[in-house]
Amino acid sequence: MDIEFNLKQIRAKIEESARKANRDPDEIRLIAVTKYVSAEQINQALACGITDIAESRVQNALTKLPLIQTGITKHFIGTLQTNKVKPVIENFDLIHSVDRMSLVEELAKQADKLGKRVSFLIQLNISGEATKHGLDPDELPGFIDNLTHYSNLEPCGLMTMAPLEADPEAVRPVFRKLKELFDKYAQRADILPKWRFLSMGMSQDYQIAIEEGSNMVRIGTAIFNSHK
Ligand SMILES: *Cc1c(COP(=O)(O)O)cnc(C)c1O
């Protein structure tokens, strides 16, 4: 395993894709997905300049977080059960996986109790795969209307997971669609003042996601060579 080598390659590819799309590479945030790796490996990645990590299982993350260097940004990207909302709000800076109203209500309730504001992304299921979590894009307008009732919640953008395809090009329309929806709501600063993150792209498909406008890529396997 050579985290430093992997990161160098990934950064070069991010830059290459950004240039191809006439974008500034500095506007793309590289998030290291650390769900399958130890605190020691996380610290190695941090030593190589990683500033953002993402976890998907609450219990597992809580055992590792106290062992890692402070001052980094922590993202929660997993399926979020309502009974885990409190520890997630307490330990993470941005939640990428908000996909239903019952979860929004619980986030607002716990945020209120903790006297915190909660930043999050809305996860959409663009491909319509039954196995994928995420809100149906047709429900997005109503969902956003409802969000405006909660003053302690800050919707910051959109997230999706593309289907696993043998041909990475097959996911391009999924990313294009998410970017279109992202841009539409970027014009609603009146109701969405913090709207700024488009989280799409994983080890398999981040270069295409960047070409299609992603500004947050979530990469695990390609950094750590870890396997499920
Ligand atoms: C695991 C995971 C990733 C990272 O996947 P890799 O293929 O290992 O890069 C990204 N996003 C989410 C939501 C994940 O669960």
Side-chain angles (χ1 to χ4, degrees), residues 33 35-36 56 77 159 161 202-204 218-222:
V33 176
K35 63 188 178 196
Y36 299 123
S56 64
I77 59 174
M159 182 273 237
M161 282 175 85
M202 311 181 9
S203 292
Q204 278 243 332
R218 312 177 307 268
I219 301 182
T221 314

Side-chain angles (χ1 to χ4, degrees), residues 52-65:
D52 291 66
I53 65 159
E55 288 280 339
S56 64
R57 289 169 299 175
V58 182
Q59 277 333 97
N60 183 265
L62 294 184
T63 64
K64 290 189 286 183
L65 291 180

Side-chain angles (χ1 to χ4, degrees), residues 1-3 6-7 10 31-39 41-42 44-45 54-57 60 64 77 164 202-204 218-228:
M1 173 144 55
D2 193 345
I3 293 170
N6 291 346
L7 279 172
I10 292 165
I31 301 173
V33 176
T34 51
K35 63 188 178 196
Y36 299 123
V37 305
S38 66
Q41 288 167 302
I42 298 174
Q44 281 175 34
E55 288 280 339
S56 64
R57 289 169 299 175
N60 183 265
K64 290 189 286 183
I77 59 174
L164 277 180
M202 311 181 9
S203 292
Q204 278 243 332
R218 312 177 307 268
I219 301 182
T221 314
I223 298 175
F224 299 104
N225 286 325
S226 55
H227 295 285
K228 298 163 207 175

Side-chain angles (χ1 to χ4, degrees), residues 8-202:
K8 204 174 266 178
Q9 286 208 317
I10 292 165
R11 289 198 175 101
K13 286 183 180 173
I14 289 173
E15 183 157 342
E16 175 193 304
S17 301
R19 301 247 179 261
K20 193 170 162 189
N22 277 316
R23 300 182 56 200
D24 176 0
D26 290 341
E27 72 184 36
I28 296 148
R29 207 184 300 194
L30 170 55
I31 301 173
V33 176
T34 51
K35 63 188 178 196
Y36 299 123
V37 305
S38 66
E40 191 193 341
Q41 288 167 302
I42 298 174
N43 283 326
Q44 281 175 34
L46 299 176
C48 299
I50 284 291
T51 56
D52 291 66
I53 65 159
E55 288 280 339
S56 64
R57 289 169 299 175
V58 182
Q59 277 333 97
N60 183 265
L62 294 184
T63 64
K64 290 189 286 183
L65 291 180
L67 306 174
I68 66 173
Q69 188 190 304
T70 53
I72 57 163
T73 302
K74 288 164 283 179
H75 302 256
F76 188 81
I77 59 174
T79 307
L80 182 47
Q81 268 126 31
T82 45
N83 64 348
K84 298 280 169 58
V85 160
K86 184 166 180 272
V88 167
I89 293 179
E90 287 173 320
N91 289 283
F92 291 87
D93 303 294
L94 183 68
I95 303 168
H96 291 228
S97 47
V98 174
D99 62 354
R100 59 195 190 278
M101 225 40 226
S102 56
L103 178 55
V104 167
E105 283 159 17
E106 187 63 19
L107 286 167
K109 189 173 129 190
Q110 295 298 337
D112 194 41
K113 278 192 191 166
L114 296 166
K116 281 192 124 179
R117 300 177 72 79
V118 175
S119 298
F120 66 93
L121 310 181
I122 303 165
Q123 180 175 357
L124 292 183
N125 182 349
I126 301 282
S127 61
E129 271 185 303
T131 55
K132 289 265 186 291
H133 290 278
L135 189 74
D136 182 327
D138 291 340
E139 294 174 28
L140 185 59
F143 194 81
I144 287 181
D145 280 347
N146 279 328
L147 287 180
T148 58
H149 299 137
Y150 301 95
S151 58
N152 55 3
L153 299 186
E154 297 186 329
C156 298
L158 297 176
M159 182 273 237
T160 201
M161 282 175 85
L164 277 180
E165 300 277 359
D167 174 12
E169 276 300 319
V171 300
R172 193 180 289 279
V174 169
F175 294 147
R176 193 162 290 179
K177 172 79 183 173
L178 196 73
K179 167 74 160 124
E180 230 175 79
L181 291 169
F182 175 78
D183 285 346
K184 182 173 152 196
Y185 287 99
Q187 312 195 358
R188 297 300 313 272
D190 53 331
I191 53 166
L192 298 166
K194 304 284 180 169
W195 197 258
R196 63 192 184 286
F197 297 131
L198 181 57
S199 170
M200 57 186 195
M202 311 181 9

